[in-house]
Amino acid sequence: MSPSARPPAKVLLQAIKGTHDILPAEARLWQAAEAVAKDHFELYGYREIRTPVFEATELFEKGTGQTSDIVIKEMYTFVDKGGRSITLRPEYTPSIARAIIEHRLYLEPAPLRFYYIGPMFRYDKPQKGRYRQFHQADVEVFGEADPAIDAEVVEMADSLLAKLKVEGVEILINSVGCPKCRPDYLNALRRAAETKRAEFCPDCQRKIETNPLRIFDCKVERCRELAARFPLITDSLCRECADHFAGFRSHLEAYGLRYRVEPRLVRGIDYYTKTTFEVVTSHAGQQNAILGGGRYDGLMREYGGPDMCAIGFAMGIERLLEAARLEKKHNRFVYIAYLGEEAKVKAAWLAKIFRSKNIECLLEFKKRGLKDQLSRANKLGASWALIIGENEIRNKRWKLKNFSTGREHEANEIDLMNLLLSESWPPLVPKQNIEGP
Ligand code: AMP
């Protein structure tokens, strides 16, 4: 690129539209939420699986579906230097299914339970709660056909949101049928839509032919009004799907979970069969769906793998953090303030010991006076400052400043180390025996 063809520096110094940096203070909240989610999934027997950020484009075309908005409009697809069509994953399910088939994980005793947390990419219209690079926690179970698992997955999502103090949660459920009952329903939808064809947006007019179920995803007000009068899939389910749905509901009730049947909840992905669900919250703003998922009993077979049923959900982490009431974790650590070369060497050695004992500790090498170092420690939110000046080195007694009480204490090396290494570290009020005068 010639220098004159370069975009102006201002553009270069901005994150790409629809993407965002997660700065350290916010990253702490992410870490906290992710840690809670991972522990929660592990409690239910899920194990982490990690797959590459990009895959062959056909994986999503075939899985997510040719008629889904994701495949039609939202994929980040490019041709790599080897001439392959590559797509940054817009969702995780196809990658997991691919990995299971590729590594023959299906030969392991079923059922298989996996989770993953990471970035997804969709060329969506950026707005609050909707980004082009966003993050999902994704959970999938393979090889469980019983509707009890559908309910357990929803219960797991619900109790996770409770742990993360998300309020105003509502569970929406539906069944989208199966290849046996859905074709008749699609024909009924097509007939209903045909009578109002001219009133639909061009996108929905196309959907009448390709997949009229997708009309329910349309955000255009008039299309939504028209779709509200469409026949309901819950009235067209075959015996098997109706029984499955009834089983799902009764298991949800056994958990004491309140839910609402939302017969227009088809979700924007083509592979769903039987159960679909979404959890929305009044606290996440306009984009109120925190998580969504469903059953996809045909996907593994579609990919040429074994006939293995599956169910899963994906939770948007950005939306979760918008709604969760997470406490900012107090970052408790010792700041070592020192003066002079001898103290510096001592301080570096002590820092190594603290860290080896899992005590977070910071010392900095920029030249500063003791007063400046203490004010810096305070600004950084240190719990303690350990002060090693020339006098302290001479007297072999160090000072410890407790930032929460503002008190300073003096003690010998052993006592101070014991205090800071004690089980209850870092006690906000030091133990009596090292209080000193
Ligand atoms: P989906 O994969 O479309 O079923 O979405 C599952 C969840 O991912 C949604 O409920 C959102 O919380 C989140 N999500 C989906 N798309 C976006 C996006 N563009 N930006 C932020 N979060 C998203």
Side-chain angles (χ1 to χ4, degrees), residues 70 74 90-92 120-122 124-125 127-136 138 267-269 271-272 278-279 287-293 313-320:
I70 293 180
E74 297 173 359
E91 56 139 350
Y92 204 57
M120 307 292 150
F121 307 86
R122 291 184 198 170
D124 214 337
K125 197 167 161 221
Q127 52 192 286
K128 196 168 164 41
R130 193 170 285 284
Y131 308 100
R132 291 183 173 168
Q133 177 176 330
F134 58 101
H135 300 76
Q136 287 185 334
D138 192 271
R267 315 220 66 258
I269 292 169
Y271 49 61
Y272 286 124
E278 221 163 74
V279 177
Q287 305 301 327
N288 65 351
I290 288 204
L291 64 90
F313 71 78
M315 174 172 73
I317 306 286
E318 282 82 357
R319 291 195 202 167
L320 170 75

mmCIF file of all heavy atoms in Angstrom, residues 70 74 90-92 120-122 124-125 127-136 138 267-269 271-272 278-279 287-293 313-320, ligand 1:
data_model
loop_
_atom_site.group_PDB
_atom_site.id
_atom_site.type_symbol
_atom_site.label_atom_id
_atom_site.label_comp_id
_atom_site.label_asym_id
_atom_site.label_seq_id
_atom_site.Cartn_x
_atom_site.Cartn_y
_atom_site.Cartn_z
ATOM 1 N N ILE A 70 -27.443 -15.875 9.916
ATOM 2 C CA ILE A 70 -26.001 -15.945 10.201
ATOM 3 C C ILE A 70 -25.240 -16.290 8.928
ATOM 4 O O ILE A 70 -24.284 -15.614 8.551
ATOM 5 C CB ILE A 70 -25.709 -16.994 11.307
ATOM 6 C CG1 ILE A 70 -26.297 -16.532 12.644
ATOM 7 C CG2 ILE A 70 -24.208 -17.260 11.434
ATOM 8 C CD1 ILE A 70 -26.061 -17.483 13.803
ATOM 9 N N GLU A 74 -24.124 -12.801 7.901
ATOM 10 C CA GLU A 74 -23.315 -12.348 9.036
ATOM 11 C C GLU A 74 -21.939 -12.993 9.167
ATOM 12 O O GLU A 74 -21.223 -12.689 10.106
ATOM 13 C CB GLU A 74 -24.097 -12.584 10.337
ATOM 14 C CG GLU A 74 -25.363 -11.766 10.390
ATOM 15 C CD GLU A 74 -26.253 -12.098 11.576
ATOM 16 O OE1 GLU A 74 -25.895 -12.986 12.369
ATOM 17 O OE2 GLU A 74 -27.324 -11.482 11.687
ATOM 18 N N PRO A 90 -19.099 -18.173 13.757
ATOM 19 C CA PRO A 90 -20.175 -17.293 14.229
ATOM 20 C C PRO A 90 -20.897 -17.915 15.427
ATOM 21 O O PRO A 90 -21.659 -17.240 16.119
ATOM 22 C CB PRO A 90 -21.120 -17.216 13.025
ATOM 23 C CG PRO A 90 -20.892 -18.486 12.278
ATOM 24 C CD PRO A 90 -19.493 -18.948 12.568
ATOM 25 N N GLU A 91 -20.690 -19.196 15.632
ATOM 26 C CA GLU A 91 -21.288 -19.900 16.772
ATOM 27 C C GLU A 91 -20.442 -21.153 16.985
ATOM 28 O O GLU A 91 -19.617 -21.515 16.142
ATOM 29 C CB GLU A 91 -22.752 -20.251 16.489
ATOM 30 C CG GLU A 91 -22.955 -21.056 15.227
ATOM 31 C CD GLU A 91 -23.980 -22.162 15.395
ATOM 32 O OE1 GLU A 91 -24.394 -22.424 16.543
ATOM 33 O OE2 GLU A 91 -24.339 -22.783 14.389
ATOM 34 N N TYR A 92 -20.674 -21.828 18.103
ATOM 35 C CA TYR A 92 -19.719 -22.858 18.480
ATOM 36 C C TYR A 92 -20.152 -24.286 18.156
ATOM 37 O O TYR A 92 -19.318 -25.177 17.979
ATOM 38 C CB TYR A 92 -19.431 -22.736 19.987
ATOM 39 C CG TYR A 92 -18.095 -23.327 20.344
ATOM 40 C CD1 TYR A 92 -16.936 -22.873 19.726
ATOM 41 C CD2 TYR A 92 -17.998 -24.349 21.257
ATOM 42 C CE1 TYR A 92 -15.701 -23.419 20.029
ATOM 43 C CE2 TYR A 92 -16.764 -24.909 21.571
ATOM 44 C CZ TYR A 92 -15.623 -24.431 20.950
ATOM 45 O OH TYR A 92 -14.415 -24.974 21.248
ATOM 46 N N MET A 120 -16.844 -15.204 19.428
ATOM 47 C CA MET A 120 -17.573 -15.565 18.202
ATOM 48 C C MET A 120 -17.615 -14.302 17.336
ATOM 49 O O MET A 120 -17.450 -13.193 17.848
ATOM 50 C CB MET A 120 -19.017 -16.001 18.500
ATOM 51 C CG MET A 120 -19.145 -17.078 19.533
ATOM 52 S SD MET A 120 -18.500 -18.674 18.996
ATOM 53 C CE MET A 120 -17.988 -19.357 20.562
ATOM 54 N N PHE A 121 -17.917 -14.471 16.058
ATOM 55 C CA PHE A 121 -17.830 -13.340 15.124
ATOM 56 C C PHE A 121 -19.053 -13.324 14.209
ATOM 57 O O PHE A 121 -19.329 -14.322 13.543
ATOM 58 C CB PHE A 121 -16.554 -13.463 14.281
ATOM 59 C CG PHE A 121 -15.322 -13.637 15.127
ATOM 60 C CD1 PHE A 121 -14.932 -14.904 15.563
ATOM 61 C CD2 PHE A 121 -14.578 -12.546 15.517
ATOM 62 C CE1 PHE A 121 -13.819 -15.079 16.374
ATOM 63 C CE2 PHE A 121 -13.447 -12.713 16.330
ATOM 64 C CZ PHE A 121 -13.071 -13.982 16.754
ATOM 65 N N ARG A 122 -19.762 -12.208 14.222
ATOM 66 C CA ARG A 122 -20.898 -12.069 13.303
ATOM 67 C C ARG A 122 -20.928 -10.646 12.779
ATOM 68 O O ARG A 122 -20.813 -9.702 13.567
ATOM 69 C CB ARG A 122 -22.236 -12.351 14.019
ATOM 70 C CG ARG A 122 -22.398 -13.797 14.412
ATOM 71 C CD ARG A 122 -23.768 -14.065 15.021
ATOM 72 N NE ARG A 122 -23.718 -15.321 15.741
ATOM 73 C CZ ARG A 122 -24.678 -15.769 16.550
ATOM 74 N NH1 ARG A 122 -25.773 -15.043 16.728
ATOM 75 N NH2 ARG A 122 -24.559 -16.920 17.176
ATOM 76 N N ASP A 124 -22.932 -8.341 12.321
ATOM 77 C CA ASP A 124 -24.253 -7.905 12.737
ATOM 78 C C ASP A 124 -24.233 -6.387 12.816
ATOM 79 O O ASP A 124 -23.169 -5.780 12.762
ATOM 80 C CB ASP A 124 -24.503 -8.500 14.139
ATOM 81 C CG ASP A 124 -25.955 -8.861 14.345
ATOM 82 O OD1 ASP A 124 -26.784 -8.279 13.649
ATOM 83 O OD2 ASP A 124 -26.228 -9.710 15.221
ATOM 84 N N LYS A 125 -25.403 -5.770 12.985
ATOM 85 C CA LYS A 125 -25.436 -4.308 13.110
ATOM 86 C C LYS A 125 -25.057 -3.955 14.549
ATOM 87 O O LYS A 125 -25.808 -4.266 15.470
ATOM 88 C CB LYS A 125 -26.850 -3.818 12.797
ATOM 89 C CG LYS A 125 -26.925 -2.360 12.508
ATOM 90 C CD LYS A 125 -28.267 -2.013 11.901
ATOM 91 C CE LYS A 125 -28.494 -0.519 12.045
ATOM 92 N NZ LYS A 125 -29.829 -0.194 12.411
ATOM 93 N N GLN A 127 -24.686 -2.475 18.092
ATOM 94 C CA GLN A 127 -25.467 -1.659 19.014
ATOM 95 C C GLN A 127 -25.214 -2.220 20.402
ATOM 96 O O GLN A 127 -24.541 -3.241 20.525
ATOM 97 C CB GLN A 127 -26.959 -1.722 18.679
ATOM 98 C CG GLN A 127 -27.481 -3.144 18.553
ATOM 99 C CD GLN A 127 -28.864 -3.216 17.951
ATOM 100 O OE1 GLN A 127 -29.810 -2.889 18.621
ATOM 101 N NE2 GLN A 127 -28.957 -3.648 16.705
ATOM 102 N N LYS A 128 -25.765 -1.570 21.409
ATOM 103 C CA LYS A 128 -25.518 -2.065 22.771
ATOM 104 C C LYS A 128 -26.028 -3.504 22.889
ATOM 105 O O LYS A 128 -27.165 -3.808 22.519
ATOM 106 C CB LYS A 128 -26.258 -1.175 23.767
ATOM 107 C CG LYS A 128 -25.785 -1.356 25.186
ATOM 108 C CD LYS A 128 -26.349 -0.243 26.040
ATOM 109 C CE LYS A 128 -26.270 -0.503 27.510
ATOM 110 N NZ LYS A 128 -25.090 -1.091 28.059
ATOM 111 N N GLY A 129 -25.167 -4.404 23.334
ATOM 112 C CA GLY A 129 -25.577 -5.806 23.490
ATOM 113 C C GLY A 129 -25.461 -6.616 22.211
ATOM 114 O O GLY A 129 -25.781 -7.801 22.184
ATOM 115 N N ARG A 130 -25.032 -5.979 21.129
ATOM 116 C CA ARG A 130 -24.883 -6.696 19.852
ATOM 117 C C ARG A 130 -23.564 -6.253 19.217
ATOM 118 O O ARG A 130 -23.398 -5.084 18.872
ATOM 119 C CB ARG A 130 -26.068 -6.353 18.944
ATOM 120 C CG ARG A 130 -26.196 -7.259 17.747
ATOM 121 C CD ARG A 130 -27.511 -7.044 17.031
ATOM 122 N NE ARG A 130 -28.639 -7.629 17.732
ATOM 123 C CZ ARG A 130 -28.929 -8.920 17.773
ATOM 124 N NH1 ARG A 130 -28.168 -9.779 17.130
ATOM 125 N NH2 ARG A 130 -29.980 -9.360 18.424
ATOM 126 N N TYR A 131 -22.628 -7.160 19.102
ATOM 127 C CA TYR A 131 -21.296 -6.801 18.636
ATOM 128 C C TYR A 131 -20.870 -7.719 17.500
ATOM 129 O O TYR A 131 -21.521 -8.723 17.229
ATOM 130 C CB TYR A 131 -20.288 -6.906 19.798
ATOM 131 C CG TYR A 131 -20.752 -6.127 20.992
ATOM 132 C CD1 TYR A 131 -21.366 -6.771 22.067
ATOM 133 C CD2 TYR A 131 -20.643 -4.737 21.021
ATOM 134 C CE1 TYR A 131 -21.844 -6.048 23.153
ATOM 135 C CE2 TYR A 131 -21.114 -4.009 22.103
ATOM 136 C CZ TYR A 131 -21.718 -4.666 23.164
ATOM 137 O OH TYR A 131 -22.206 -3.958 24.219
ATOM 138 N N ARG A 132 -19.756 -7.353 16.878
ATOM 139 C CA ARG A 132 -19.260 -8.194 15.775
ATOM 140 C C ARG A 132 -18.264 -9.230 16.289
ATOM 141 O O ARG A 132 -18.187 -10.317 15.749
ATOM 142 C CB ARG A 132 -18.662 -7.308 14.690
ATOM 143 C CG ARG A 132 -19.766 -6.521 14.009
ATOM 144 C CD ARG A 132 -19.296 -5.669 12.868
ATOM 145 N NE ARG A 132 -20.470 -5.103 12.205
ATOM 146 C CZ ARG A 132 -20.418 -4.132 11.306
ATOM 147 N NH1 ARG A 132 -19.256 -3.626 10.960
ATOM 148 N NH2 ARG A 132 -21.534 -3.698 10.758
ATOM 149 N N GLN A 133 -17.515 -8.864 17.288
ATOM 150 C CA GLN A 133 -16.811 -9.909 18.055
ATOM 151 C C GLN A 133 -17.443 -9.897 19.437
ATOM 152 O O GLN A 133 -17.424 -8.874 20.126
ATOM 153 C CB GLN A 133 -15.313 -9.654 18.179
ATOM 154 C CG GLN A 133 -14.675 -10.740 19.055
ATOM 155 C CD GLN A 133 -13.164 -10.651 19.193
ATOM 156 O OE1 GLN A 133 -12.467 -10.183 18.306
ATOM 157 N NE2 GLN A 133 -12.670 -11.127 20.311
ATOM 158 N N PHE A 134 -18.049 -10.996 19.803
ATOM 159 C CA PHE A 134 -18.657 -11.087 21.127
ATOM 160 C C PHE A 134 -18.234 -12.431 21.719
ATOM 161 O O PHE A 134 -17.534 -13.204 21.065
ATOM 162 C CB PHE A 134 -20.188 -10.956 21.040
ATOM 163 C CG PHE A 134 -20.842 -11.984 20.174
ATOM 164 C CD1 PHE A 134 -21.460 -13.094 20.738
ATOM 165 C CD2 PHE A 134 -20.821 -11.877 18.793
ATOM 166 C CE1 PHE A 134 -22.052 -14.069 19.943
ATOM 167 C CE2 PHE A 134 -21.408 -12.845 17.988
ATOM 168 C CZ PHE A 134 -22.022 -13.940 18.560
ATOM 169 N N HIS A 135 -18.651 -12.676 22.921
ATOM 170 C CA HIS A 135 -18.169 -13.886 23.601
ATOM 171 C C HIS A 135 -19.332 -14.717 24.094
ATOM 172 O O HIS A 135 -20.332 -14.179 24.574
ATOM 173 C CB HIS A 135 -17.249 -13.489 24.763
ATOM 174 C CG HIS A 135 -16.055 -12.719 24.306
ATOM 175 N ND1 HIS A 135 -16.131 -11.392 23.936
ATOM 176 C CD2 HIS A 135 -14.780 -13.104 24.097
ATOM 177 C CE1 HIS A 135 -14.941 -10.991 23.528
ATOM 178 N NE2 HIS A 135 -14.101 -12.014 23.623
ATOM 179 N N GLN A 136 -19.178 -15.985 23.976
ATOM 180 C CA GLN A 136 -20.234 -16.889 24.445
ATOM 181 C C GLN A 136 -19.654 -17.945 25.374
ATOM 182 O O GLN A 136 -18.526 -18.407 25.187
ATOM 183 C CB GLN A 136 -20.893 -17.618 23.267
ATOM 184 C CG GLN A 136 -21.807 -16.744 22.423
ATOM 185 C CD GLN A 136 -22.533 -17.532 21.341
ATOM 186 O OE1 GLN A 136 -22.052 -18.572 20.892
ATOM 187 N NE2 GLN A 136 -23.679 -17.040 20.909
ATOM 188 N N ASP A 138 -20.593 -21.680 26.030
ATOM 189 C CA ASP A 138 -21.366 -22.622 25.245
ATOM 190 C C ASP A 138 -21.354 -23.987 25.929
ATOM 191 O O ASP A 138 -20.322 -24.418 26.420
ATOM 192 C CB ASP A 138 -20.687 -22.726 23.873
ATOM 193 C CG ASP A 138 -21.544 -23.430 22.882
ATOM 194 O OD1 ASP A 138 -21.434 -24.679 22.803
ATOM 195 O OD2 ASP A 138 -22.312 -22.763 22.201
ATOM 196 N N ARG A 267 -35.769 -19.464 17.047
ATOM 197 C CA ARG A 267 -34.333 -19.208 17.088
ATOM 198 C C ARG A 267 -33.762 -19.178 15.677
ATOM 199 O O ARG A 267 -34.313 -19.745 14.755
ATOM 200 C CB ARG A 267 -33.605 -20.206 17.988
ATOM 201 C CG ARG A 267 -34.344 -20.416 19.319
ATOM 202 C CD ARG A 267 -33.483 -20.529 20.517
ATOM 203 N NE ARG A 267 -32.786 -19.287 20.799
ATOM 204 C CZ ARG A 267 -31.519 -19.042 20.511
ATOM 205 N NH1 ARG A 267 -30.815 -19.928 19.987
ATOM 206 N NH2 ARG A 267 -30.957 -17.906 20.768
ATOM 207 N N GLY A 268 -32.645 -18.467 15.524
ATOM 208 C CA GLY A 268 -32.205 -18.154 14.164
ATOM 209 C C GLY A 268 -31.339 -19.177 13.461
ATOM 210 O O GLY A 268 -30.659 -18.856 12.506
ATOM 211 N N ILE A 269 -31.354 -20.407 13.926
ATOM 212 C CA ILE A 269 -30.416 -21.400 13.376
ATOM 213 C C ILE A 269 -31.223 -22.571 12.835
ATOM 214 O O ILE A 269 -32.243 -22.944 13.398
ATOM 215 C CB ILE A 269 -29.427 -21.825 14.497
ATOM 216 C CG1 ILE A 269 -28.521 -20.628 14.841
ATOM 217 C CG2 ILE A 269 -28.610 -23.030 14.084
ATOM 218 C CD1 ILE A 269 -27.692 -20.774 16.079
ATOM 219 N N TYR A 271 -30.621 -25.871 12.468
ATOM 220 C CA TYR A 271 -30.539 -27.286 12.856
ATOM 221 C C TYR A 271 -31.437 -27.714 14.015
ATOM 222 O O TYR A 271 -31.462 -28.880 14.370
ATOM 223 C CB TYR A 271 -29.090 -27.694 13.154
ATOM 224 C CG TYR A 271 -28.312 -26.788 14.092
ATOM 225 C CD1 TYR A 271 -28.709 -26.573 15.403
ATOM 226 C CD2 TYR A 271 -27.141 -26.159 13.655
ATOM 227 C CE1 TYR A 271 -27.988 -25.758 16.256
ATOM 228 C CE2 TYR A 271 -26.405 -25.335 14.500
ATOM 229 C CZ TYR A 271 -26.836 -25.140 15.793
ATOM 230 O OH TYR A 271 -26.122 -24.340 16.617
ATOM 231 N N TYR A 272 -32.144 -26.780 14.641
ATOM 232 C CA TYR A 272 -32.904 -27.167 15.829
ATOM 233 C C TYR A 272 -34.017 -28.176 15.542
ATOM 234 O O TYR A 272 -34.674 -28.114 14.504
ATOM 235 C CB TYR A 272 -33.496 -25.934 16.527
ATOM 236 C CG TYR A 272 -32.458 -25.130 17.261
ATOM 237 C CD1 TYR A 272 -32.271 -23.779 16.984
ATOM 238 C CD2 TYR A 272 -31.645 -25.718 18.222
ATOM 239 C CE1 TYR A 272 -31.300 -23.043 17.645
ATOM 240 C CE2 TYR A 272 -30.665 -24.992 18.881
ATOM 241 C CZ TYR A 272 -30.500 -23.660 18.588
ATOM 242 O OH TYR A 272 -29.530 -22.937 19.251
ATOM 243 N N GLU A 278 -35.008 -19.997 25.478
ATOM 244 C CA GLU A 278 -34.253 -18.771 25.606
ATOM 245 C C GLU A 278 -34.438 -18.283 27.033
ATOM 246 O O GLU A 278 -35.502 -18.500 27.616
ATOM 247 C CB GLU A 278 -34.828 -17.727 24.633
ATOM 248 C CG GLU A 278 -33.777 -16.911 23.938
ATOM 249 C CD GLU A 278 -34.301 -16.180 22.708
ATOM 250 O OE1 GLU A 278 -35.025 -15.195 22.907
ATOM 251 O OE2 GLU A 278 -33.990 -16.603 21.588
ATOM 252 N N VAL A 279 -33.427 -17.657 27.580
ATOM 253 C CA VAL A 279 -33.614 -17.017 28.882
ATOM 254 C C VAL A 279 -33.420 -15.524 28.659
ATOM 255 O O VAL A 279 -32.398 -15.089 28.110
ATOM 256 C CB VAL A 279 -32.616 -17.554 29.933
ATOM 257 C CG1 VAL A 279 -32.810 -16.809 31.259
ATOM 258 C CG2 VAL A 279 -32.835 -19.050 30.147
ATOM 259 N N GLN A 287 -31.419 -5.685 24.141
ATOM 260 C CA GLN A 287 -31.053 -7.043 23.725
ATOM 261 C C GLN A 287 -31.196 -7.918 24.962
ATOM 262 O O GLN A 287 -30.243 -8.161 25.683
ATOM 263 C CB GLN A 287 -29.614 -7.071 23.198
ATOM 264 C CG GLN A 287 -29.330 -6.091 22.089
ATOM 265 C CD GLN A 287 -30.219 -6.327 20.890
ATOM 266 O OE1 GLN A 287 -30.590 -7.447 20.585
ATOM 267 N NE2 GLN A 287 -30.585 -5.262 20.202
ATOM 268 N N ASN A 288 -32.401 -8.379 25.208
ATOM 269 C CA ASN A 288 -32.644 -8.963 26.527
ATOM 270 C C ASN A 288 -32.441 -10.478 26.595
ATOM 271 O O ASN A 288 -32.588 -11.056 27.654
ATOM 272 C CB ASN A 288 -34.037 -8.581 27.029
ATOM 273 C CG ASN A 288 -35.131 -9.186 26.163
ATOM 274 O OD1 ASN A 288 -34.836 -9.745 25.115
ATOM 275 N ND2 ASN A 288 -36.356 -9.088 26.605
ATOM 276 N N ALA A 289 -32.107 -11.097 25.457
ATOM 277 C CA ALA A 289 -31.879 -12.547 25.504
ATOM 278 C C ALA A 289 -30.451 -12.803 25.969
ATOM 279 O O ALA A 289 -29.491 -12.448 25.285
ATOM 280 C CB ALA A 289 -32.101 -13.161 24.138
ATOM 281 N N ILE A 290 -30.333 -13.384 27.150
ATOM 282 C CA ILE A 290 -28.979 -13.649 27.667
ATOM 283 C C ILE A 290 -28.454 -14.949 27.082
ATOM 284 O O ILE A 290 -27.274 -15.084 26.787
ATOM 285 C CB ILE A 290 -29.012 -13.758 29.206
ATOM 286 C CG1 ILE A 290 -29.244 -12.381 29.789
ATOM 287 C CG2 ILE A 290 -27.731 -14.363 29.726
ATOM 288 C CD1 ILE A 290 -28.742 -12.230 31.191
ATOM 289 N N LEU A 291 -29.343 -15.913 26.951
ATOM 290 C CA LEU A 291 -28.871 -17.183 26.395
ATOM 291 C C LEU A 291 -29.993 -17.865 25.640
ATOM 292 O O LEU A 291 -31.172 -17.593 25.860
ATOM 293 C CB LEU A 291 -28.329 -18.091 27.503
ATOM 294 C CG LEU A 291 -29.293 -18.580 28.587
ATOM 295 C CD1 LEU A 291 -29.940 -19.904 28.200
ATOM 296 C CD2 LEU A 291 -28.534 -18.761 29.892
ATOM 297 N N GLY A 292 -29.579 -18.749 24.745
ATOM 298 C CA GLY A 292 -30.582 -19.468 23.974
ATOM 299 C C GLY A 292 -29.994 -20.759 23.466
ATOM 300 O O GLY A 292 -28.773 -20.899 23.333
ATOM 301 N N GLY A 293 -30.868 -21.712 23.213
ATOM 302 C CA GLY A 293 -30.369 -22.974 22.697
ATOM 303 C C GLY A 293 -31.492 -23.909 22.346
ATOM 304 O O GLY A 293 -32.645 -23.504 22.204
ATOM 305 N N PHE A 313 -26.755 -24.895 24.686
ATOM 306 C CA PHE A 313 -27.136 -23.481 24.650
ATOM 307 C C PHE A 313 -25.881 -22.619 24.614
ATOM 308 O O PHE A 313 -24.782 -23.087 24.950
ATOM 309 C CB PHE A 313 -28.031 -23.085 25.834
ATOM 310 C CG PHE A 313 -27.357 -23.035 27.183
ATOM 311 C CD1 PHE A 313 -26.553 -21.952 27.548
ATOM 312 C CD2 PHE A 313 -27.540 -24.059 28.097
ATOM 313 C CE1 PHE A 313 -25.947 -21.898 28.802
ATOM 314 C CE2 PHE A 313 -26.933 -24.013 29.355
ATOM 315 C CZ PHE A 313 -26.134 -22.927 29.700
ATOM 316 N N ALA A 314 -26.072 -21.379 24.198
ATOM 317 C CA ALA A 314 -24.975 -20.412 24.225
ATOM 318 C C ALA A 314 -25.441 -19.186 24.990
ATOM 319 O O ALA A 314 -26.568 -18.723 24.799
ATOM 320 C CB ALA A 314 -24.563 -20.033 22.810
ATOM 321 N N MET A 315 -24.563 -18.708 25.850
ATOM 322 C CA MET A 315 -24.890 -17.535 26.661
ATOM 323 C C MET A 315 -23.950 -16.399 26.267
ATOM 324 O O MET A 315 -22.730 -16.601 26.187
ATOM 325 C CB MET A 315 -24.687 -17.896 28.139
ATOM 326 C CG MET A 315 -24.853 -16.743 29.081
ATOM 327 S SD MET A 315 -24.818 -17.314 30.796
ATOM 328 C CE MET A 315 -23.088 -17.683 30.990
ATOM 329 N N GLY A 316 -24.510 -15.235 25.994
ATOM 330 C CA GLY A 316 -23.670 -14.088 25.617
ATOM 331 C C GLY A 316 -23.042 -13.482 26.864
ATOM 332 O O GLY A 316 -23.747 -13.076 27.783
ATOM 333 N N ILE A 317 -21.711 -13.432 26.880
ATOM 334 C CA ILE A 317 -21.038 -12.937 28.100
ATOM 335 C C ILE A 317 -21.225 -11.422 28.258
ATOM 336 O O ILE A 317 -21.434 -10.923 29.359
ATOM 337 C CB ILE A 317 -19.524 -13.261 28.086
ATOM 338 C CG1 ILE A 317 -19.299 -14.755 27.860
ATOM 339 C CG2 ILE A 317 -18.850 -12.817 29.375
ATOM 340 C CD1 ILE A 317 -19.591 -15.647 29.025
ATOM 341 N N GLU A 318 -21.185 -10.681 27.126
ATOM 342 C CA GLU A 318 -21.392 -9.229 27.242
ATOM 343 C C GLU A 318 -22.753 -8.941 27.858
ATOM 344 O O GLU A 318 -22.892 -8.116 28.755
ATOM 345 C CB GLU A 318 -21.311 -8.552 25.856
ATOM 346 C CG GLU A 318 -19.898 -8.358 25.319
ATOM 347 C CD GLU A 318 -19.346 -9.611 24.654
ATOM 348 O OE1 GLU A 318 -20.038 -10.664 24.644
ATOM 349 O OE2 GLU A 318 -18.209 -9.550 24.141
ATOM 350 N N ARG A 319 -23.772 -9.647 27.381
ATOM 351 C CA ARG A 319 -25.123 -9.402 27.909
ATOM 352 C C ARG A 319 -25.239 -9.880 29.344
ATOM 353 O O ARG A 319 -25.933 -9.284 30.156
ATOM 354 C CB ARG A 319 -26.157 -10.110 27.038
ATOM 355 C CG ARG A 319 -26.239 -9.456 25.685
ATOM 356 C CD ARG A 319 -27.459 -9.882 24.942
ATOM 357 N NE ARG A 319 -27.235 -9.661 23.528
ATOM 358 C CZ ARG A 319 -27.987 -10.140 22.570
ATOM 359 N NH1 ARG A 319 -29.035 -10.893 22.883
ATOM 360 N NH2 ARG A 319 -27.726 -9.888 21.318
ATOM 361 N N LEU A 320 -24.552 -10.958 29.635
ATOM 362 C CA LEU A 320 -24.574 -11.459 31.012
ATOM 363 C C LEU A 320 -23.997 -10.397 31.951
ATOM 364 O O LEU A 320 -24.584 -10.077 32.988
ATOM 365 C CB LEU A 320 -23.737 -12.740 31.107
ATOM 366 C CG LEU A 320 -23.489 -13.228 32.523
ATOM 367 C CD1 LEU A 320 -24.761 -13.875 33.066
ATOM 368 C CD2 LEU A 320 -22.352 -14.215 32.587
HETATM 369 P P1 AMP B 1 -27.298 -17.496 19.391
HETATM 370 O O1 AMP B 1 -25.941 -18.096 19.174
HETATM 371 O O2 AMP B 1 -27.719 -16.596 18.276
HETATM 372 O O3 AMP B 1 -28.312 -18.526 19.766
HETATM 373 O O4 AMP B 1 -27.178 -16.517 20.637
HETATM 374 C C1 AMP B 1 -26.968 -16.961 21.955
HETATM 375 C C2 AMP B 1 -26.629 -15.760 22.814
HETATM 376 O O5 AMP B 1 -25.425 -15.154 22.371
HETATM 377 C C3 AMP B 1 -27.648 -14.638 22.755
HETATM 378 O O6 AMP B 1 -28.697 -14.867 23.662
HETATM 379 C C4 AMP B 1 -26.811 -13.442 23.150
HETATM 380 O O7 AMP B 1 -26.676 -13.353 24.551
HETATM 381 C C5 AMP B 1 -25.475 -13.756 22.556
HETATM 382 N N1 AMP B 1 -25.284 -13.092 21.245
HETATM 383 C C6 AMP B 1 -25.671 -13.517 20.023
HETATM 384 N N2 AMP B 1 -25.289 -12.647 19.069
HETATM 385 C C7 AMP B 1 -24.653 -11.639 19.696
HETATM 386 C C8 AMP B 1 -24.026 -10.434 19.261
HETATM 387 N N3 AMP B 1 -23.948 -10.087 17.971
HETATM 388 N N4 AMP B 1 -23.462 -9.636 20.213
HETATM 389 C C9 AMP B 1 -23.506 -9.962 21.521
HETATM 390 N N5 AMP B 1 -24.077 -11.088 21.984
HETATM 391 C C10 AMP B 1 -24.646 -11.913 21.093
#
